[in-house]
Amino acid sequence: MKKLLTLLFAAAMAISMSSMSFAQDTSGTTDKKETKAEKKAAKKEKKEKKKASKEEKKDEMKKQ
């Protein structure tokens, strides 16, 4: 029984150690984060521009 537990523990350790070698490399995530931030900024700018044009139209309607 003790040999079986030792073998099971060794197998579990081998699997967990080998999975680290197949883990995804995170060096490319900074590029993704930068592009995501750029997209977010562009979306925010577009939203503000739309809001400003809406307010201008509203002001024009009040003047008439």
Side-chain angles (χ1 to χ4, degrees), residues 21-52:
S21 65
F22 294 113
Q24 183 178 357
D25 184 22
T26 60
S27 63
T29 58
T30 56
D31 295 335
K32 290 179 183 178
K33 287 181 182 179
E34 288 174 0
T35 56
K36 190 174 182 180
E38 289 173 357
K39 285 181 181 179
K40 190 174 182 179
K43 188 176 181 181
K44 187 175 181 179
E45 186 179 315
K46 185 178 177 183
K47 188 176 181 181
E48 290 173 354
K49 194 174 187 181
K50 186 176 180 182
K51 187 176 180 180

